[in-house]
């Protein structure tokens, strides 16, 4: 916060500018800009603008103790082990103790940042012998510690002059004195004090970039839309606030992609500017409330179609995965516009469209999208028990679950024509048996593979809802509408956020049963990833268009919880937090 003298000086200078220029507009914009910067999170004005991830993390020991309740014994042990190693690297190895040397003068939060251009050390242990590790726990490139007690902080910083554990060298950059560790064969650090902040970096170049930012180069706090987005999310009792720089993220991901465009070109084409979220610790999981927004010069616009889809109500209670949305045609359009600038999307829209036409004989633009402007849902549903447990001496089914797609058709005749085209291709090209039949007195078309094990059905539900199922036979789970729908289950109501409302999309994943597979015959995950996923019970997400440039979301991750009576001790220092 600015003291009164500095504030008076700035106001006086501003008035002089107004009198000299005669521009009241210039004055109001100047004041508005600085009021917004004053609302930036602590330390954000020192973080270079192109930083990949910036996180403001609480130093409240109570919140850190709450972390002991999350996860399985193995994942919690991994968290504790890695945090302890980071504490050792940052503090212990350099002769400091968190509770004695840091905590007395530290503020309520610390800012940590990942620049996105650092490389990790190669793995030396095999997957079979290596302990479980959490990939998102790594040494930050930048740590900014607010000073609440300058006198105590000065004493601790003076301690480095007589520090025997670590040798320190000193240099000056742009008038700022830096102190840097000099330990051969180990991670070295740069440390300095900028106003009321202690800044620690793991790279001398990063420290110079921080000082450049302090001297006037653009910071994260001056990123267009950043402070405005933070103001819209709930940060009450938040454990952390996180900002993801999406152009930098695109460039970082592109460095390992096979795209013809350079990372810089892909970053320039990225229409989104950023994503911010608050992270709150709840009794049985972690909640993320956030906002993503477009660049100021982006020609894209988010469609405002918050319809709160009714189709999830037509899914059975044992649904393991659900993804719903408001407009499938618009989703395809966005995919086609942005796939070229997203290195995480492996298949360009044009290639996917050509593949669908070659494989299924339908043109996406002409045969499908014209009637797909309504709400939609995709779900994974396990087959019935009698199919999953075949008679003795018979092999289990190839697939233990099926996928269903439901779409509210805007043109029934066009939908029927597309289904007829699919019927013909499946019968003539793939030799599937295509037959008109009935299920629970409702007409439908069934495809049966000549090799067995795979079936598909399509037809109509009331209200012009077209459906398609494939994989294991699951049509009887949705025809007719189930008496016990997914949306009425306690887990769905607990997991999937009710806000924002109305919304334009929801996700439900019952991770626990998917991992245990329930005879679903799903592919195995790598052992390290499988171990980490065992800590998650379910995931729920709700999204909505705030306006044409902003999208709001609420994500809840339900975690396994451990009894407080058997905690695993967490390192005392919150500084090297994820």
């Amino acid at each position: 916060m600015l003291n009164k003298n500095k504030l008076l000086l700035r106001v006086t200078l501003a008035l002089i500018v107004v009198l000299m220029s005669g521009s009241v507009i210039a004055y109001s914009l100047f004041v508005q800009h600085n009021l917004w910067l004053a609302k930036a999170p602590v330390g954000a004005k020192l973080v270079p603008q192109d930083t990949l991830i910036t996180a403001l993390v609480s130093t409240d020991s109570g919140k850190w103790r709450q972390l002991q309740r999350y996860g399985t014994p193995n994942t919690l042990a991994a968290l504790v082990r890695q945090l302890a190693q980071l504490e050792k690297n940052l503090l212990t190895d350099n002769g400091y103790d968190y509770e004695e040397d840091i905590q007395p003068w530290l503020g309520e939060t610390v800012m940590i940042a990942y620049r996105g251009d650092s490389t990790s050390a190669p793995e030396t242990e095999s997957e079979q012998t290596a302990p479980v590790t959490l990939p998102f726990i790594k040494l930050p490139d930048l740590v900014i510690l607010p000073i609440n007690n300058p006198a105590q902080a000065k004493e601790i910083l003076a301690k480095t002059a007589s520090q025997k554990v670590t040798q320190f060298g000193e240099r000056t950059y742009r008038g700022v004195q830096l102190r840097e560790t000099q330990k051969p064969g180990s991670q070295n650090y740069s440390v300095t004090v900028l106003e009321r902040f202690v800044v620690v970096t793991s790279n001398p170049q990063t420290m110079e970039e921080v000082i450049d930012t302090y001297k006037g180069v653009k910071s994260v706090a001056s990123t267009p839309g950043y402070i405005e987005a933070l103001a819209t999310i709930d940060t009450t009792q938040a454990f952390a606030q996180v900002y993801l720089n999406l152009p930098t993220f695109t460039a970082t991901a592109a460095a390992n992609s096979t795209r013809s465009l350079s990372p810089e070109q892909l970053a320039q084409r990225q229409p989104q500017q950023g994503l911010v979220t608050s992270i709150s610790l709840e009794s049985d999981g972690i909640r993320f409330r956030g906002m993503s927004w477009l660049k100021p010069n982006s020609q894209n616009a988010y469609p405002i179609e918050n319809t709160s889809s009714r189709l999830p109500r037509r899914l059975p209670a044992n649904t393991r995965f659900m993804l719903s949305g408001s407009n499938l045609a618009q989703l395809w359009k966005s995919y086609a516009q942005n796939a070229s600038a997203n290195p995480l999307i492996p298949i360009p829209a044009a290639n996917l469209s050509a593949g669908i036409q070659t494989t299924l004989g339908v043109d996406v633009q002409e045969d499908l999208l014209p009637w797909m402007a309504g709400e939609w849902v995709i779900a994974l549903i396990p087959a019935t028990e009698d199919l999953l447990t075949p008679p003795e001496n018979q092999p289990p089914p190839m697939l233990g679950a099926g996928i269903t797609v439901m779409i509210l058709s805007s043109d029934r005749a066009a939908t029927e024509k597309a289904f007829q085209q699919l019927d013909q291709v499946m019968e003539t090209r793939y030799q599937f048996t295509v037959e008109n039949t009935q299920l629970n007195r409702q007409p439908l078309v069934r495809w049966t593979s000549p090799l067995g094990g795979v079936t598909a059905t399509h037809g109509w539900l009331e209200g012009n809802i077209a459906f398609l199922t494939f994989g294991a036979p699951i049509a009887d789970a949705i025809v007719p509408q189930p008496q016990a729908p997914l949306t009425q289950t306690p887990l769905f109501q607990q997991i999937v956020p009710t806000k924002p409302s109305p919304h334009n999309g929801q996700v439900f994943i019952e991770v626990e049963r998917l991992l245990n597979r329930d005879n679903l015959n799903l592919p195995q995950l790598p052992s390290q990833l499988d171990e980490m996923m065992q800590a998650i019970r379910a995931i729920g997400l709700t999204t909505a268009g705030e306006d044409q440039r902003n999208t709001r979301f609420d994500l809840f991750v339900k975690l396994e919880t451990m009894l407080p009576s058997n905690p695993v001790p967490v390192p005392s220092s919150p500084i090297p937090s994820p």
Side-chain angles (χ1 to χ4, degrees):
M1 296 289 296
L2 295 174
N3 59 40
K4 293 182 178 180
N5 290 334
K6 287 186 177 181
L7 182 59
L8 179 60
L9 176 61
R10 293 178 68 169
V11 171
T12 303
L13 291 175
L15 289 174
I16 293 174
V17 171
V18 171
L19 293 174
M20 291 178 63
S21 65
S23 174
V24 177
I25 295 177
Y27 170 66
S28 64
L29 290 177
F30 174 82
V31 173
Q32 184 181 38
H33 172 72
N34 285 283
L35 286 175
W36 274 114
L37 285 181
K39 297 179 181 180
V42 174
K45 288 184 282 187
L46 298 178
V47 181
Q49 191 175 67
D50 62 347
T51 297
L52 174 62
I53 298 175
T54 305
L56 188 71
V57 184
S58 172
T59 60
D60 184 348
S61 58
K63 290 184 172 66
W64 282 87
R65 283 194 297 270
Q66 188 171 347
L67 290 176
Q68 295 181 71
R69 300 189 63 244
Y70 296 145
T72 66
N74 284 345
T75 58
L76 186 55
L79 173 66
V80 171
R81 182 174 59 252
Q82 290 176 253
L83 288 179
Q85 183 62 47
L86 293 181
E87 181 177 20
K88 179 178 181 293
N89 292 343
L90 279 173
L91 298 176
T92 308
D93 285 354
N94 296 304
Y96 292 102
D97 177 81
Y98 174 74
E99 293 182 351
E100 179 182 341
D101 298 325
I102 308 297
Q103 192 175 46
W105 55 263
L106 186 62
E108 297 179 352
T109 58
V110 298
M111 177 70 78
I112 64 175
Y114 298 89
R115 296 286 288 143
D117 52 3
S118 60
T119 58
S120 58
E123 297 292 338
T124 58
E125 296 179 282
S126 67
E127 185 179 350
Q128 288 74 21
T129 60
V132 177
T133 59
L134 306 179
F136 51 86
I137 306 293
K138 58 168 289 189
L139 184 70
D141 300 308
L142 171 63
V143 180
I144 299 176
L145 310 174
I147 301 173
N148 262 13
N149 190 320
Q152 286 182 306
K154 184 177 180 180
E155 292 179 9
I156 299 305
L157 292 174
K159 178 181 177 180
T160 61
S162 60
Q163 192 63 260
K164 297 180 180 180
V165 177
T166 302
Q167 292 183 336
F168 289 88
E170 294 188 355
R171 68 184 179 97
T172 300
Y173 178 76
R174 297 190 67 177
V176 177
Q177 186 177 25
L178 312 178
R179 183 165 289 157
E180 298 177 336
T181 60
Q182 298 174 340
K183 296 175 64 176
S186 65
Q187 176 66 63
N188 284 300
Y189 301 94
S190 296
V191 182
T192 193
V193 177
L194 297 174
E195 294 186 354
R196 296 180 65 91
F197 298 97
V198 175
V199 181
V200 183
T201 71
S202 57
N203 187 318
Q205 182 179 348
T206 299
M207 180 63 80
E208 293 178 1
E209 292 171 347
V210 171
I211 294 173
D212 291 339
T213 303
Y214 173 70
K215 296 288 187 177
V217 174
K218 290 185 178 180
S219 68
V220 164
S222 59
T223 300
Y226 169 70
I227 297 177
E228 294 87 339
L230 278 177
T232 65
I233 63 176
D234 181 15
T235 58
T236 306
Q237 302 298 318
F239 172 68
Q241 299 173 36
V242 178
Y243 164 63
L244 174 62
N245 184 324
L246 290 174
T248 300
F249 174 77
T250 298
T252 302
N256 296 318
S257 72
T258 58
R259 296 293 175 85
S260 58
L261 295 177
S262 69
E264 292 74 18
Q265 290 172 316
L266 287 173
Q268 291 173 358
R269 290 191 178 188
Q270 166 65 258
Q272 293 176 309
Q273 177 63 65
L275 180 152
V276 295
T277 182
S278 65
I279 302 176
S280 303
L281 308 181
E282 300 188 2
S283 60
D284 56 352
I286 301 177
R287 187 173 301 277
F288 303 79
R289 292 189 176 95
M291 178 85 75
S292 67
W293 69 99
L294 297 172
K295 292 178 180 178
N297 60 351
S298 173
Q299 300 301 311
N300 292 42
Y302 294 131
I304 307 301
E305 294 182 286
N306 299 323
T307 59
S308 296
S309 174
R310 300 161 293 171
L311 296 184
R313 305 173 195 169
R314 304 200 62 97
L315 299 173
N318 64 341
T319 299
R320 301 289 182 253
F321 167 86
M322 181 215 74
L323 171 65
S324 70
S326 59
N327 187 327
L328 195 57
Q330 180 60 47
L331 179 65
W332 177 271
K333 180 181 177 181
S334 299
Y335 168 70
Q337 286 179 339
N338 300 326
S340 62
N342 190 339
L344 298 181
I345 297 178
I347 306 175
N351 293 3
L352 183 57
S353 180
I356 291 174
Q357 184 162 16
T358 301
T359 305
L360 300 178
V362 292
D363 184 279
V364 172
Q365 295 291 338
E366 295 184 4
D367 300 326
L368 300 180
L369 296 184
W371 54 270
M372 289 185 169
E375 57 189 73
W376 56 275
V377 67
I378 299 174
L380 177 71
I381 303 172
T384 56
E385 285 296 325
D386 58 329
L387 289 173
L388 296 177
T389 54
E392 191 176 355
N393 299 326
Q394 291 190 17
M398 293 176 57
L399 298 173
I403 294 176
T404 184
V405 181
M406 300 180 191
I407 302 174
L408 180 59
S409 172
S410 57
D411 187 334
R412 186 161 182 143
T415 308
E416 288 282 12
K417 180 181 177 181
F419 277 149
Q420 290 170 6
Q421 291 176 263
L422 290 172
D423 291 342
Q424 184 178 11
V425 170
M426 300 308 293
E427 185 173 27
T428 59
R429 186 180 302 176
Y430 300 107
Q431 283 75 55
F432 272 61
T433 300
V434 178
E435 57 180 335
N436 293 294
T437 183
Q438 285 194 341
L439 177 63
N440 297 323
R441 300 181 181 179
Q442 187 161 330
L444 54 81
V445 176
R446 176 180 290 119
W447 307 336
T448 305
S449 169
L451 302 178
V454 178
T455 63
T457 59
H458 66 78
W460 293 93
L461 305 174
E462 66 269 16
N464 280 344
I465 300 173
F467 76 88
L468 171 69
T469 74
F470 55 92
I474 58 168
D476 57 346
I478 61 172
V479 181
Q481 184 169 347
Q483 293 183 348
L486 171 67
T487 53
Q488 295 301 312
T489 62
L491 182 62
F492 185 94
Q493 294 181 345
Q494 178 189 10
I495 293 301
V496 180
T498 58
K499 293 182 179 180
S501 178
H503 59 260
N504 62 12
Q506 289 185 314
V507 176
F508 168 80
I509 309 174
E510 192 173 2
V511 178
E512 186 175 27
R513 290 195 176 183
L514 282 176
L515 289 179
N516 295 333
R517 279 168 271 279
D518 281 348
N519 296 320
L520 300 181
N521 294 335
L522 298 177
Q524 294 281 341
L525 295 173
S527 60
Q528 288 275 344
L529 179 58
D530 186 81
E531 184 69 51
M532 287 187 293
M533 295 298 290
Q534 291 289 345
I536 302 176
R537 297 187 61 186
I539 298 173
L541 170 69
T542 299
T543 66
E546 183 81 357
D547 52 45
Q548 290 190 326
R549 306 198 65 79
N550 300 278
T551 297
R552 184 186 295 271
F553 66 88
D554 191 333
L555 169 69
F556 183 70
V557 181
K558 183 177 178 65
L559 298 169
E560 293 287 348
T561 55
M562 299 182 64
L563 296 177
S565 59
N566 188 29
V568 177
V570 172
S572 58
S573 169
I575 295 176
S577 56

